[in-house]
Amino acid sequence: MATLQTRSAARLMMSPAVLLLFAWMIVPLAMTLYFSFLRYNLLMPGMEEWAGTLNYHYFLTDPAFGTALLNTLLLVGGVLLITLAGGTLLALLLDQPFFGQGIVRLLVIAPFFVMPTVSALVWKNMLMHPVYGIFAWIARSLGLQPVDWLNNLPLFSVTMIVAWQWLPFATLILLTALQSLDEEQKEAAEMDGAGPISRFVYIVLPHLARAMTVVVLIETIFLLSVFAEILVTTNGGPGNESTNITYLVYAQALLQFDVGGASAGGIVAVILANLVAIFLIRLIGKNLEA
Amino acid sequence: MGSITLEKVSKSFGTTKVIPQIDLDIADGEFVVFVGPSGCGKSTLLRIIAGLEDATDGTIRIDGADATREAPAKRGLSMVFQSYALYPHMSVYGNIAFPLKMAGEAKATIDDKVRGAAKVLNLTDYLDRKPRQLSGGQRQRVAIGRAIVRQPKAFLFDEPLSNLDAALRVNMRLEISELHHQLKTTMIYVTHDQVEAMTMADKIVVLNAGRIEQVGSPLELYRNPKNLFVAGFIGSPKMNLISGAAAAKENAATIGVRPEHIGLSKTEGPWQGKVTVVEHLGADTFVHADVDGVGPVTARAPGEFPVKHGEQVFLTPEAGKIYRFGDNGAAL
Ligand SMILES: Nc1ncnc2c1ncn2[C@@H]1O[C@H](COP(=O)(O)OP(=O)(O)OP(=O)(O)O)[C@@H](O)[C@H]1O
Ligand SMILES: [Mg+2]
């Protein structure tokens, strides 16, 4: 788009799509914002009235909010940690030539295609169940007391389930990055006397930095709004132990029918997501520059 | 010290034999050039010496000691790759310092050596830059800098100049030759450019399909090519190879005459032909002519020689400068 004319033509052509997308975003946002300032409860329809910042006050001072915020951060951080470390390891393994490479790669990617609700159910009933679960069976075979994962370690369990789903994504991105590493660079390092660990630290890891940044940014966006896995497995409990912000908003709106409070929670979640995004871009965004 | 000996080295990839068998002696301090057409196994041979590729069979000795199973880093050789293979996220300083850091040298020693190498290679002003902020020639110098700081027993170069433009290539060629005089370290240099081979080498190894065709100094190869392949490969423009009646007269299957050994005249000479192309280079004139009963012949006249396309010329091959080859291609 070199000339002035092509540029204005491009703007004209793009404007319908941009306007549609803008409306798509701004209408729900504006409505949520509007509702968040109303006293609006579905149990008392027709009684809506202006509430000022009261909804925000209640949402933010709710003791559940602090727990939910912490849980959200722990969940995102935990999943990121597991998927990055696990993804790097798996990518390194899958990058080696071995028999049946194609099949194994396909298998590794498979969890990504399983619906969150389904995978959560599988984990809940087949793996983590204290009576029928495979983990319990393993524990009993070893003569140990089975762990009731979802009741005793709810947040950890949810983190494991979500990490299992996102591991393929991280592996895939890191594997492609790994494959784009110049073979001669590795050989040069080998001739320079770098052993396997030094090669990983000084050559491979810096090369992966950009891909890791992409993984962190994309996963964070999705992980801030994890919901299905919690709903299906723990319902946010016991107590609030596995409630994140998204689940708290849901509980507010559809369990307490408080649309105003839920909207305020939604706006808080949006602001929180933006804060995290800004923080991340500041922290690791420079990796994305060419 | 840095003498390298290959004994009966062979290499196969799966079932394809890339190098059938090679014996070669490289003396300490020699500048050896491997030259040959594309795909003849030059890189493979170099990588076998470096240890990046295992020899299928045979022994590699470095300074007399068997290094066949030694890891690349242990062999004490350093390599400059065709793609330079600089570490993109490290500065020039970091790149040059890397081998020293891996060897666990003290910070002060590293600093001394890196700055010393940078000075030799005119890189002092660029030490803080990243490789992508450098020109091709500068990258090349960084790659060389990374190779020299380790003070290796020998340098291995794999077509290091092929990514540079013609002028820079000539420049870097001189710089590498100069470096060799300065360091007096063994160098093995791979190229498919016979001019590079002729100008830089103490010893040229001509390879063809994984076999050594001839080993010798540039002038030895120029004067006494052992066979048709070497005769055609060394020298520019190529030697005229003529078979048929003209060759039979000399009792050979093929005769060869270098373009510079053919006299040109517009009036008389044993071979008469029609000019097809003339290349005026200023210092020389290359005349390509279609000679009756002989075929296409290239002649090189010093200075300017005023002929045009389509004109008649007479060619006189210098007596005593005619190479004769038998049926199997070997020199007679
Ligand atoms: N990893 C490999 N697997 C199978 N064949 C290979 C492999 N590497 C090289 N070869 C083959 O070995 C032969 C020699 O390759 P090599 O790279 O040594 O050629 P070269 O002389 O360096 O050519 P060039 O001048 O084009 O770089 C080629 O025919 C090539 O196809
Ligand atoms: Mg090569």
Side-chain angles (χ1 to χ4, degrees), chain A residues 49-134:
Chain A
E49 56 181 306
W50 189 253
T53 56
L54 214 56
N55 282 327
Y56 288 96
H57 180 76
Y58 282 134
F59 189 83
L60 291 176
T61 53
D62 185 346
F65 172 73
T67 318
L69 183 62
L70 185 67
N71 285 345
T72 306
L73 295 180
L74 283 177
L75 181 63
V76 173
V79 173
L80 281 178
L81 210 67
I82 296 173
T83 52
L84 276 184
T88 308
L89 274 178
L90 273 176
L92 283 173
L93 278 179
L94 292 178
D95 197 32
Q96 311 296 323
F98 59 87
F99 180 73
Q101 200 176 31
I103 296 280
V104 173
R105 283 188 187 170
L106 200 67
L107 285 178
V108 168
I109 297 161
F112 206 45
F113 296 120
V114 180
M115 272 182 283
T117 37
V118 174
S119 83
L121 277 177
V122 169
W123 275 83
K124 178 183 180 178
N125 294 325
M126 298 180 70
L127 295 173
M128 290 176 161
H129 196 282
V131 179
Y132 318 115
I134 289 178

Side-chain angles (χ1 to χ4, degrees), chain B residues 13 16 18 36-45 82 158-159 190 192:
Chain B
F13 287 111
T16 40
V18 174
S38 188
C40 68
K42 307 179 293 288
S43 299
T44 308
L45 192 57
Q82 183 172 357
D158 192 355
E159 306 201 23
V190 164
H192 55 243

